[in-house]
Amino acid sequence: MTASDRGRATEPSRCVAAHSEDPTNCAGPRDAVIVLDSHGGRAAGCERHAARLLASLDGAHVEPGSVPGAATRAFRAAESIRPFCWHTNTPRTESSQLSRAEDRVARNHRH
Ligand SMILES: [Zn+2]
């Protein structure tokens, strides 16, 4: 095993925030945004995966990471991302399956 092989093997292919079932690649630095779940867990992620993770976790928050403004952008993007958005075959009928923005619209129609 050469040094370059070891480098490839130990380097994670994607940021920690990327869900194992999410097929997309990272967008930007892998520590651009810190995602905090409601249990106190922390995961550094790229802007794209932080937004997707945030949309999928109830009660999650973001903190600024290495990229200024990325946490704010991820927070805004998460509003319109459906939970586990990579599950494209899932029916989107329940409130918990819709994005927060979609759920707000659905709630308004029910009133
Ligand atoms: Zn990522």
Side-chain angles (χ1 to χ4, degrees), residues 98 101-111:
L98 296 171
E102 284 174 324
D103 190 38
R104 265 199 305 276
V105 172
R107 278 171 206 274
N108 285 340
H109 279 293
R110 265 179 242 134
H111 284 288

PDB file of all heavy atoms in Angstrom, residues 98 101-111:
ATOM      1  N   LEU A  98     -43.492  16.764   3.650  1.00  0.00           N
ATOM      2  CA  LEU A  98     -43.400  17.971   2.840  1.00  0.00           C
ATOM      3  C   LEU A  98     -42.296  18.876   3.360  1.00  0.00           C
ATOM      4  O   LEU A  98     -41.895  18.769   4.519  1.00  0.00           O
ATOM      5  CB  LEU A  98     -44.732  18.731   2.880  1.00  0.00           C
ATOM      6  CG  LEU A  98     -45.942  18.007   2.275  1.00  0.00           C
ATOM      7  CD1 LEU A  98     -47.206  18.786   2.586  1.00  0.00           C
ATOM      8  CD2 LEU A  98     -45.772  17.825   0.782  1.00  0.00           C
ATOM      9  N   ALA A 101     -41.864  24.908   3.754  1.00  0.00           N
ATOM     10  CA  ALA A 101     -42.592  25.901   2.965  1.00  0.00           C
ATOM     11  C   ALA A 101     -43.878  25.289   2.409  1.00  0.00           C
ATOM     12  O   ALA A 101     -44.944  25.905   2.456  1.00  0.00           O
ATOM     13  CB  ALA A 101     -41.711  26.414   1.833  1.00  0.00           C
ATOM     14  N   GLU A 102     -43.793  24.064   1.897  1.00  0.00           N
ATOM     15  CA  GLU A 102     -44.984  23.394   1.357  1.00  0.00           C
ATOM     16  C   GLU A 102     -45.995  23.117   2.459  1.00  0.00           C
ATOM     17  O   GLU A 102     -47.204  23.231   2.256  1.00  0.00           O
ATOM     18  CB  GLU A 102     -44.593  22.065   0.704  1.00  0.00           C
ATOM     19  CG  GLU A 102     -43.934  22.226  -0.643  1.00  0.00           C
ATOM     20  CD  GLU A 102     -43.439  20.890  -1.175  1.00  0.00           C
ATOM     21  OE1 GLU A 102     -42.986  20.048  -0.372  1.00  0.00           O
ATOM     22  OE2 GLU A 102     -43.496  20.701  -2.378  1.00  0.00           O
ATOM     23  N   ASP A 103     -45.497  22.711   3.619  1.00  0.00           N
ATOM     24  CA  ASP A 103     -46.385  22.391   4.723  1.00  0.00           C
ATOM     25  C   ASP A 103     -47.163  23.629   5.171  1.00  0.00           C
ATOM     26  O   ASP A 103     -48.343  23.546   5.506  1.00  0.00           O
ATOM     27  CB  ASP A 103     -45.563  21.819   5.887  1.00  0.00           C
ATOM     28  CG  ASP A 103     -46.461  21.248   6.980  1.00  0.00           C
ATOM     29  OD1 ASP A 103     -47.492  20.640   6.630  1.00  0.00           O
ATOM     30  OD2 ASP A 103     -46.125  21.413   8.155  1.00  0.00           O
ATOM     31  N   ARG A 104     -46.484  24.789   5.142  1.00  0.00           N
ATOM     32  CA  ARG A 104     -47.167  26.040   5.501  1.00  0.00           C
ATOM     33  C   ARG A 104     -48.314  26.317   4.538  1.00  0.00           C
ATOM     34  O   ARG A 104     -49.412  26.676   4.951  1.00  0.00           O
ATOM     35  CB  ARG A 104     -46.183  27.203   5.487  1.00  0.00           C
ATOM     36  CG  ARG A 104     -45.600  27.522   6.854  1.00  0.00           C
ATOM     37  CD  ARG A 104     -45.011  28.915   6.892  1.00  0.00           C
ATOM     38  NE  ARG A 104     -44.015  29.146   5.853  1.00  0.00           N
ATOM     39  CZ  ARG A 104     -42.741  28.804   5.965  1.00  0.00           C
ATOM     40  NH1 ARG A 104     -42.310  28.216   7.059  1.00  0.00           N
ATOM     41  NH2 ARG A 104     -41.897  29.057   4.998  1.00  0.00           N
ATOM     42  N   VAL A 105     -48.071  26.127   3.245  1.00  0.00           N
ATOM     43  CA  VAL A 105     -49.106  26.350   2.235  1.00  0.00           C
ATOM     44  C   VAL A 105     -50.259  25.379   2.469  1.00  0.00           C
ATOM     45  O   VAL A 105     -51.428  25.756   2.454  1.00  0.00           O
ATOM     46  CB  VAL A 105     -48.511  26.163   0.813  1.00  0.00           C
ATOM     47  CG1 VAL A 105     -49.618  26.210  -0.231  1.00  0.00           C
ATOM     48  CG2 VAL A 105     -47.484  27.245   0.541  1.00  0.00           C
ATOM     49  N   ALA A 106     -49.934  24.095   2.716  1.00  0.00           N
ATOM     50  CA  ALA A 106     -50.966  23.086   2.935  1.00  0.00           C
ATOM     51  C   ALA A 106     -51.804  23.437   4.155  1.00  0.00           C
ATOM     52  O   ALA A 106     -53.029  23.293   4.156  1.00  0.00           O
ATOM     53  CB  ALA A 106     -50.326  21.703   3.106  1.00  0.00           C
ATOM     54  N   ARG A 107     -51.166  23.908   5.215  1.00  0.00           N
ATOM     55  CA  ARG A 107     -51.893  24.280   6.435  1.00  0.00           C
ATOM     56  C   ARG A 107     -52.831  25.444   6.167  1.00  0.00           C
ATOM     57  O   ARG A 107     -53.963  25.464   6.649  1.00  0.00           O
ATOM     58  CB  ARG A 107     -50.915  24.684   7.542  1.00  0.00           C
ATOM     59  CG  ARG A 107     -50.324  23.528   8.287  1.00  0.00           C
ATOM     60  CD  ARG A 107     -49.217  24.031   9.205  1.00  0.00           C
ATOM     61  NE  ARG A 107     -48.242  22.975   9.466  1.00  0.00           N
ATOM     62  CZ  ARG A 107     -48.385  22.065  10.437  1.00  0.00           C
ATOM     63  NH1 ARG A 107     -49.434  22.112  11.225  1.00  0.00           N
ATOM     64  NH2 ARG A 107     -47.477  21.134  10.610  1.00  0.00           N
ATOM     65  N   ASN A 108     -52.370  26.401   5.404  1.00  0.00           N
ATOM     66  CA  ASN A 108     -53.194  27.566   5.104  1.00  0.00           C
ATOM     67  C   ASN A 108     -54.439  27.154   4.319  1.00  0.00           C
ATOM     68  O   ASN A 108     -55.502  27.734   4.509  1.00  0.00           O
ATOM     69  CB  ASN A 108     -52.393  28.601   4.309  1.00  0.00           C
ATOM     70  CG  ASN A 108     -51.400  29.334   5.195  1.00  0.00           C
ATOM     71  OD1 ASN A 108     -51.560  29.352   6.416  1.00  0.00           O
ATOM     72  ND2 ASN A 108     -50.384  29.918   4.592  1.00  0.00           N
ATOM     73  N   HIS A 109     -54.288  26.155   3.463  1.00  0.00           N
ATOM     74  CA  HIS A 109     -55.445  25.724   2.666  1.00  0.00           C
ATOM     75  C   HIS A 109     -56.460  25.001   3.531  1.00  0.00           C
ATOM     76  O   HIS A 109     -57.647  24.996   3.216  1.00  0.00           O
ATOM     77  CB  HIS A 109     -54.981  24.807   1.529  1.00  0.00           C
ATOM     78  CG  HIS A 109     -54.454  25.576   0.360  1.00  0.00           C
ATOM     79  ND1 HIS A 109     -55.267  26.367  -0.412  1.00  0.00           N
ATOM     80  CD2 HIS A 109     -53.215  25.706  -0.140  1.00  0.00           C
ATOM     81  CE1 HIS A 109     -54.517  26.925  -1.344  1.00  0.00           C
ATOM     82  NE2 HIS A 109     -53.286  26.564  -1.205  1.00  0.00           N
ATOM     83  N   ARG A 110     -55.998  24.367   4.615  1.00  0.00           N
ATOM     84  CA  ARG A 110     -56.922  23.618   5.477  1.00  0.00           C
ATOM     85  C   ARG A 110     -57.778  24.562   6.313  1.00  0.00           C
ATOM     86  O   ARG A 110     -58.830  24.195   6.758  1.00  0.00           O
ATOM     87  CB  ARG A 110     -56.128  22.688   6.385  1.00  0.00           C
ATOM     88  CG  ARG A 110     -56.015  21.288   5.795  1.00  0.00           C
ATOM     89  CD  ARG A 110     -55.215  20.379   6.698  1.00  0.00           C
ATOM     90  NE  ARG A 110     -53.988  19.908   6.003  1.00  0.00           N
ATOM     91  CZ  ARG A 110     -52.793  19.918   6.589  1.00  0.00           C
ATOM     92  NH1 ARG A 110     -52.642  20.313   7.808  1.00  0.00           N
ATOM     93  NH2 ARG A 110     -51.752  19.506   5.909  1.00  0.00           N
ATOM     94  N   HIS A 111     -57.324  25.781   6.548  1.00  0.00           N
ATOM     95  CA  HIS A 111     -58.079  26.695   7.416  1.00  0.00           C
ATOM     96  C   HIS A 111     -59.220  27.354   6.685  1.00  0.00           C
ATOM     97  O   HIS A 111     -59.158  27.558   5.498  1.00  0.00           O
ATOM     98  CB  HIS A 111     -57.141  27.774   7.977  1.00  0.00           C
ATOM     99  CG  HIS A 111     -56.287  27.221   9.081  1.00  0.00           C
ATOM    100  ND1 HIS A 111     -56.759  26.901  10.330  1.00  0.00           N
ATOM    101  CD2 HIS A 111     -54.991  26.878   9.091  1.00  0.00           C
ATOM    102  CE1 HIS A 111     -55.775  26.400  11.050  1.00  0.00           C
ATOM    103  NE2 HIS A 111     -54.708  26.370  10.331  1.00  0.00           N
TER     104      HIS A 111
END
